[in-house]
Amino acid sequence: MNKNEFLSELNRHLQKLPKSEQEAAIEDYEEHFEHGVFEGRSEADIATSLGNPRKIARELVTEYHLEHAEQHNSYYSITRAVFAFLGLGFLNLVFVLAPFIAIVAVIIASYAVSFVFVISPLSVFVALFGDDSWQSILLLLFATLGLLGVGLILGTVTTKFSKIFFQWFTRYLKSNQRIIRGERK
Amino acid sequence: MNVQFKKGVLTLCVLVLTLQKDRYGYELVHTISEKFLIAEGTIYPLLRRLTKEGYFTTYLVESNEGPPRKYYQLTDIGQEYADELIQEWKEFSLGVNQLIEEGILNEQK
């Protein structure tokens, strides 16, 4: 088999591929023949060591289809990603967003309460300028100092809780991402 | 030899050969076929696949002496892939060699 026979046999079995693919493949083998001939080998010798052109063609076709299948797969996964996103969007809206807003509201409220408690001793100064008796001012002082303590504790607890809550929530969002990307972990 | 296995080994070979310098198709085929018997034509589909997967980029060099050469250059991910396959190969061949040695020892007993 000489160069032309080899190339036309190869080409004959590549008909199923797009023109550009065929040409690119043929070019590779043309170049190979040219190099071989340049080194002083005979065309028949080069063709023999290249192997059966039909088998080579089959390999090229298989590679092409494999690659194509992967591309199809990616269209499929885009569709899947969109549906996953919509589905998760609905789920998130109904089952996650509402509780999320509620919990954030609770966190804000308890911060507000603890802030008010913490600054409550300041009311003693206001009372000083009024005409309250010193007993009632003293009572106010102790009561508000108590509130200050409660406020500090409440603030600390809220901070701890919101940290845990936001960590958990980030993890939940990340798992959403993974589902949308199609990873299954 | 098993086709998939052979493909894997040939992939490793072309990646390793291009680690130090860019090489052209005929050179790759020639270097490998000096070491062991292959159907030389199977290297080109392999090179095409590796190029499409982004492990190689190619460029054409016209030469005064001889035909033009299509050079294959490893990309960054090609480099990573090569390292990965080399590691896999080392573990694999170590295992096989141990099995062979144990087999020979048992035979001698």
Side-chain angles (χ1 to χ4, degrees), chain A residues 6-80:
Chain A
F6 182 93
L7 291 179
S8 65
E9 175 80 358
L10 182 66
N11 201 23
R12 207 157 57 84
H13 289 98
L14 289 177
Q15 292 306 314
K16 284 181 206 154
L17 297 185
K19 261 275 171 287
S20 60
E21 288 287 321
Q22 292 180 28
E23 280 164 13
I26 296 290
E27 258 170 41
D28 281 339
Y29 291 99
E30 248 175 349
E31 196 191 300
H32 185 88
F33 270 102
E34 284 169 22
H35 281 284
V37 170
F38 184 74
E39 282 195 345
R41 295 168 69 191
S42 75
E43 285 185 0
D45 174 36
I46 300 164
T48 311
S49 37
L50 275 175
N52 187 338
R54 213 179 59 205
K55 275 189 187 160
I56 293 171
R58 201 186 301 153
E59 198 145 324
L60 284 162
V61 172
T62 314
E63 295 281 11
Y64 179 79
H65 282 311
L66 274 181
E67 200 184 308
H68 236 62
E70 270 164 31
Q71 275 171 14
H72 276 301
N73 215 352
S74 79
Y75 290 130
Y76 166 71
S77 55
I78 288 168
T79 327
R80 197 181 53 180

Side-chain angles (χ1 to χ4, degrees), chain A residues 125-137:
Chain A
F125 291 106
V126 180
L128 279 178
F129 296 105
D131 44 10
D132 294 299
S133 65
W134 65 270
Q135 286 101 329
S136 67
I137 291 178

